[in-house]
Amino acid sequence: MSKFFISRENIYGDKLKITGEDVNHITRVLRLGTGDRLTCCDGMGKDYCVRISATDKKEIVCDIESAFKAETESSIKVTLIQGIPKVSKMDYIIQKTTELGISDIYPCKMSRCVSKPDGSKKVERWQKIAREAAKQSGRGIVPSVHDIITVSEAVEILKNTDISFVPYECAENAYLRPVLTSKNDVKTVAFMIGPEGGFDKSEIEKLTANNINIVTLGKRILRTETAGEAVLSMIMYEIGDINGGL
């Protein structure tokens, strides 16, 4: 059954309405109309099974048949802090980490970032990519793509989670699994990935000075657009929901 995200303000009593681009998709692409069923999600973890009761060019009104907690979210919230790469790579990173269960994405301006995007316009576009990927993958929430941050701001985010770490190609004998299994009842995890040029030495020194775990991902160096989804998969398998655990 097709799934669409709606604003909570569009839910009222035993009805809800769908607006925006989804109206055209539902009526013209899927060719659904009065009496057909859909799944809607408020983007905050609650799903609604609904039946279309009325349509026009601007909105679709639906009767709510049932409401229930989305079953597609992990019990842990994972944050990615991503050194800003070239445009197409960031699009890919947002799409794939959304599919794998990321909760928050913070683009980070770093010393070796090649791309210098206009913050507000890019973030708006990135949020739309996250929304579409969340819809496609059946998520119960739409991950938040935040405004661009600095390394100093990234450090504060890393310090305020249950588990945090930074993969670094020059790290030796410091592996990810011991970090992920170092605590019980983990609710929040955050990690930071460098841009195409990697981390500047001063950035690693700042992270180390703030007691952030610096880890290796093995003998091979991953591209920035590969690293985030690879690490997120490891997290979700080890302490998330991919292995049927939490």
Side-chain angles (χ1 to χ4, degrees):
M1 189 182 297
S2 300
K3 187 173 187 176
F4 297 89
F5 285 97
I6 58 170
S7 300
R8 290 183 66 88
E9 62 190 26
N10 285 349
I11 303 169
Y12 47 98
D14 60 353
K15 294 183 181 294
L16 59 78
K17 63 181 178 180
I18 301 168
T19 58
E21 296 177 357
D22 286 337
V23 173
N24 183 68
H25 184 73
I26 291 168
T27 58
R28 298 195 173 213
V29 179
L30 298 179
R31 297 187 178 278
L32 300 179
T34 303
D36 290 320
R37 285 191 173 94
L38 297 169
T39 298
C40 292
C41 183
D42 63 5
M44 300 177 70
K46 194 170 185 178
D47 284 348
Y48 299 83
C49 182
V50 305
R51 188 188 293 270
I52 297 173
S53 58
T55 66
D56 61 33
K57 292 182 179 180
K58 293 185 177 180
E59 67 179 33
I60 297 171
V61 178
C62 302
D63 295 323
I64 298 173
E65 296 186 332
S66 61
F68 45 93
K69 182 180 179 181
E71 298 179 350
T72 54
E73 294 302 315
S74 174
S75 62
I76 60 171
K77 293 186 178 297
V78 184
T79 295
L80 165 64
I81 300 170
Q82 174 67 53
I84 302 171
K86 293 178 181 177
V87 175
S88 61
K89 293 181 180 181
M90 190 65 177
D91 294 354
Y92 177 88
I93 291 164
I94 292 168
Q95 183 185 68
K96 298 309 174 187
T97 56
T98 294
E99 292 174 15
L100 286 164
I102 204 74
S103 296
D104 293 271
I105 300 171
Y106 287 86
C108 185
K109 185 177 180 180
M110 301 174 67
S111 295
R112 296 181 181 176
C113 287
V114 176
S115 180
K116 308 292 183 183
D118 179 300
S120 59
K121 291 181 181 179
K122 286 296 182 185
V123 171
E124 183 179 346
R125 180 173 177 276
W126 290 335
Q127 187 65 67
K128 184 176 181 180
I129 291 170
R131 183 182 180 87
E132 290 302 312
K135 181 167 66 174
Q136 178 274 325
S137 57
R139 292 287 302 272
I141 68 166
V142 178
S144 296
V145 183
H146 299 267
D147 290 337
I148 296 170
I149 62 172
T150 64
V151 173
S152 294
E153 291 170 323
V155 167
E156 293 306 309
I157 294 168
L158 292 165
K159 287 167 62 177
N160 286 284
T161 53
D162 294 335
I163 291 176
S164 62
F165 60 90
V166 175
Y168 180 48
E169 65 269 20
C170 295
E172 295 181 357
N173 301 317
Y175 297 98
L176 179 55
R177 190 175 187 188
V179 173
L180 294 178
T181 58
S182 62
K183 296 181 181 180
N184 296 320
D185 195 30
V186 173
K187 298 299 182 186
T188 57
V189 179
F191 66 101
M192 185 175 186
I193 300 295
E196 289 97 337
F199 288 91
D200 184 79
K201 183 179 179 181
S202 64
E203 292 166 343
I204 291 296
E205 290 173 349
K206 177 177 286 190
L207 291 162
T208 302
N210 282 276
N211 299 313
I212 306 300
N213 293 296
I214 309 297
V215 302
T216 177
L217 297 180
K219 297 179 181 180
R220 292 170 293 281
I221 297 175
L222 301 182
R223 291 177 178 270
T224 188
E225 67 269 31
T226 306
E229 62 179 321
V231 171
L232 182 55
S233 297
M234 296 173 197
I235 294 169
M236 288 301 185
Y237 181 82
E238 192 64 43
I239 60 174
D241 60 350
I242 287 180
N243 68 354
L246 296 177

